[in-house]
Amino acid sequence: MSESDLLPGQNLAHLLPPSWKTEVSRWYAEDTPSFDWAGFVVGEEEQEAILWGKSGGVLAGVPFFDEVFKQAECTVEWLLPEGSVIPPNTKTKVAIVRGKARQLLLAERVGLNTLARCSGIASVSRRFRDLARAEGWKGVVAGTRKTTPGFRLIEKYGMMVGGVDPHRHDLSSMVMLKDNHIWATGSITQAIKSVRRVAGFSLLVNVECQNYEEANEAISAGANIVMLDNLLGEELHGAAKRLKEEWKGKREFLIETSGGIVEGGLKARLGPDIDILSTSAVHQSCPHVDFSLKIQPRQKQ
């Protein structure tokens, strides 16, 4: 869900857990573990800095940027709302940041790095979503759990601002039985039976399947989602169609396609029997959006 999909009064920042702000303190501890030598030079005169967007993309990461500068006792005035598209090949004024000179510069790199990464993910996510919509596909484009350790919350947030589904957030938020789980257990049916005994009715069970036969077994055993992993072309769409037809009126389930999906190969995975398309391409190795923060030059006396 992107900002354009929200109802009046709704804000994606309201999804964030109370504990997230402690992450900012850890970022500061990493970036300035001892003395701030350069900060000593500029002192504490009140200054104003402009946040410039220097490459095209979707603005995302506003609450994190705000908190970085809040902990540095600075204020941020946004000139563009989160989810806005920054035009390419221009220098766009995005926000005004005010505070003491050394505090502005203390927070500068931490804030910019976070904003650049989150906005990059939102930008690629938006492209994937728009490509799928342009094809008339009504399913869900989703990310994956292949996120950066310690930075998952920001990356998942960027996906949502961009308009794609963040998929499961961690191992506890949905049961996903992958090939290794099946091989270690012995069978799909046994794996589903075992996990249902402990996970109960409230968690969805998603099973990674290598072919139609495995998917059929998973549905029969009670899977809520079958992931047709790395299946392509007619093998993918034929299996999905057959599963939907054979189980129609008997059991409700979703079909997910995943595995090696990149922007250029997106359309080939879309189809009337595919409900979910999940890809790590919306958050792995995506280019950052370029931002800079510039203190306004002092008037010469």
Side-chain angles (χ1 to χ4, degrees), residues 209-265:
C209 303
Q210 310 303 316
N211 49 48
Y212 161 82
E213 288 75 20
E214 288 188 358
N216 195 53
E217 181 184 351
I219 295 166
S220 180
N224 305 105
I225 306 163
V226 289
M227 177 194 288
L228 300 179
D229 192 44
N230 287 307
L231 268 65
L232 304 171
E234 180 55 32
E235 187 179 13
L236 168 65
H237 297 294
K241 186 177 191 314
R242 185 178 173 189
L243 290 166
K244 288 290 180 75
E245 289 177 347
E246 292 185 2
W247 287 97
K248 186 176 180 179
K250 302 175 186 176
R251 181 156 292 167
E252 294 292 327
F253 61 92
L254 298 173
I255 294 179
E256 178 177 351
T257 179
S258 189
I261 301 175
V262 295
E263 195 169 330

Side-chain angles (χ1 to χ4, degrees), residues 88-100:
N89 305 315
T90 62
K91 190 176 179 181
T92 304
K93 189 181 289 189
V94 177
I96 303 171
V97 188
R98 300 179 177 91
K100 296 175 182 178

